[in-house]
Amino acid sequence: MFYGEIEGSGFQVIEAEFASCFVGHARVERLWTGGRWSEGPAWFGGGRYLLWSDLPNNRIMRYDDTDGSVSVFRHPSGYANGNTVDQQGRLVTCEHYNRRVTRTEHNGSITVLADKFNGKRLNSPNDVVIKSDHSIWFTDPDYGIIADYEGKIDRMEQDGCHVYRIDPHTLEVAQVANDFDHPNGLAFSNDEKHLFIADSGGTEGHNRPKHIRRFDVDASGKTLGSSIVFAECPSGFFDGFRIDQQDRLWASSAEGVICYRQDGQLIGKIKIPEMVANLTFGGVQRNRLFICGTTSLYSVYLKVNG
């Protein structure tokens, strides 16, 4: 634990609504440091702990909320990136190196949920979210196969970088979006009528996407309809993000966490002294925002809940 106010952190209120999201004496806490690219935080309420990926170091880390300790949960991790928790409290992970989405069972065994589409290997699954019907939705850019830093240089077998849905009963993989440059973070609105997906193509060149799109979800809940650009990233690019109970969207950026209300209006920022890759709500009341900065794990208590 690193006590006191961290240099380079703070809150920028753009719209008054943002000020009501945190107490006046709120501070950003640095809980741990020592990573190379921190990613994919997932909160396990039953055990009061957080798992997140230290991607280039090929490990998943564990923060214990009961005593503040940090330990290595899994090494090697298959260069794990995004993580989430299903309705049975099991870890679901995107593995760059193994080019697959897996589930860790309660006994510690690993089940492969998806590693191919149409008989060809996936690129490098990046982020994952689970819908209320237990279906698993994930993005599949090529970050894990274009360099050895986050995986292993290898050839692409798919015809691009797409978004997929795994059927919870048959594990059949279906493509739900195929017009992305580099699909990245994703999250459903509270009513699940919309799916938000980041496109971080800007990491690979100028004049490429660095925005979040909002898709209509078909009445069947299995396919996506039309989309609009919800927000353009004002600093760096969007990676992971989460949505609170009032459908405000909290997103990662080069300067920290930026918050949008549901109409796409930017209302405020949480300044973090390094680039942020991902975040999630956790804590006993889900009013604690855990933030994965480049080398460190941060948190801040809010007056809103995830």
Side-chain angles (χ1 to χ4, degrees), residues 15-303:
E15 297 285 339
E17 176 184 348
F18 188 63
S20 66
C21 292
F22 54 90
V23 297
H25 62 274
R27 294 290 182 272
V28 174
E29 301 171 277
R30 185 184 287 121
L31 304 177
W32 176 86
T33 191
R36 284 200 169 93
W37 182 249
S38 297
E39 254 282 12
W43 172 256
F44 290 77
R48 283 186 60 185
Y49 63 88
L50 182 91
L51 297 182
W52 82 96
S53 299
D54 182 9
L55 182 49
N57 285 324
N58 195 18
R59 60 185 181 173
I60 296 176
M61 306 299 293
R62 181 183 187 275
Y63 168 77
D64 190 327
D65 187 44
T66 66
D67 62 8
S69 64
V70 173
S71 58
V72 176
F73 174 80
R74 179 177 295 162
H75 180 269
S77 67
Y79 287 87
N81 191 335
N83 301 286
T84 195
V85 187
D86 72 6
Q87 288 91 335
Q88 286 72 47
R90 297 171 295 188
L91 171 68
V92 176
T93 299
C94 293
E95 300 179 13
H96 273 193
Y97 186 86
N98 298 315
R99 302 171 72 163
R100 66 188 189 179
V101 180
T102 63
R103 182 178 65 219
T104 301
E105 307 297 344
H106 292 303
N107 65 3
S109 63
I110 293 178
T111 300
V112 177
L113 300 176
D115 59 1
K116 293 182 175 67
F117 174 69
N118 283 347
K120 299 178 181 180
R121 287 185 299 172
L122 298 169
N123 299 326
S124 55
N126 186 281
D127 207 354
V128 58
V129 67
I130 299 177
K131 197 168 175 283
S132 63
D133 64 1
H134 303 271
S135 59
I136 301 153
W137 302 60
F138 69 95
T139 55
D140 188 40
D142 62 1
Y143 292 121
I145 59 174
I146 59 176
D148 290 328
Y149 187 64
E150 295 185 1
K152 179 179 66 173
I153 295 175
D154 209 345
R155 68 184 181 90
M156 180 187 287
E157 297 186 15
Q158 299 297 326
D159 62 359
C161 300
H162 308 311
V163 185
Y164 300 93
R165 175 188 183 272
I166 304 172
D167 185 275
H169 307 293
T170 66
L171 298 187
E172 179 183 358
V173 180
Q175 192 178 102
V176 294
N178 60 7
D179 60 346
F180 277 83
D181 189 314
H182 279 70
N184 206 314
L186 70 173
F188 283 98
S189 59
N190 285 300
D191 60 11
E192 296 186 337
K193 292 182 179 180
H194 298 101
L195 177 64
F196 297 82
I197 309 174
D199 195 331
S200 56
T203 60
E204 304 307 301
H206 297 295
N207 301 317
R208 293 171 73 168
K210 49 178 186 176
H211 54 227
I212 292 173
R213 292 166 64 185
R214 187 185 71 194
F215 283 82
D216 295 329
V217 179
D218 183 80
S220 69
K222 297 181 179 180
T223 59
L224 300 178
S226 60
S227 71
I228 62 168
V229 173
F230 175 76
E232 294 281 354
C233 191
S235 177
F237 60 92
F238 291 121
D239 195 329
F241 53 90
R242 286 293 179 263
I243 292 173
D244 69 20
Q245 289 184 347
Q246 285 72 47
D247 272 318
R248 286 179 290 255
L249 188 149
W250 302 72
S252 62
S253 74
E255 58 185 327
V257 177
I258 49 184
C259 183
Y260 295 88
R261 63 175 176 236
Q262 56 187 289
D263 62 0
Q265 174 65 45
L266 175 64
I267 64 171
K269 304 177 182 181
I270 302 175
K271 298 286 189 175
I272 302 294
E274 54 186 333
M275 182 182 292
V276 169
N278 215 327
L279 52 97
T280 197
F281 287 91
V284 175
Q285 295 172 299
R286 289 197 176 271
N287 64 337
R288 191 177 190 183
L289 190 65
F290 289 97
I291 302 165
C292 284
T294 304
T295 66
S296 307
L297 177 68
Y298 301 88
S299 77
V300 61
Y301 280 97
L302 300 173
K303 290 172 66 178

Side-chain angles (χ1 to χ4, degrees), residues 4-23:
E5 190 164 358
I6 300 170
E7 184 177 357
S9 68
F11 302 85
Q12 180 183 350
V13 176
I14 297 173
E15 297 285 339
E17 176 184 348
F18 188 63
S20 66
C21 292
F22 54 90
V23 297

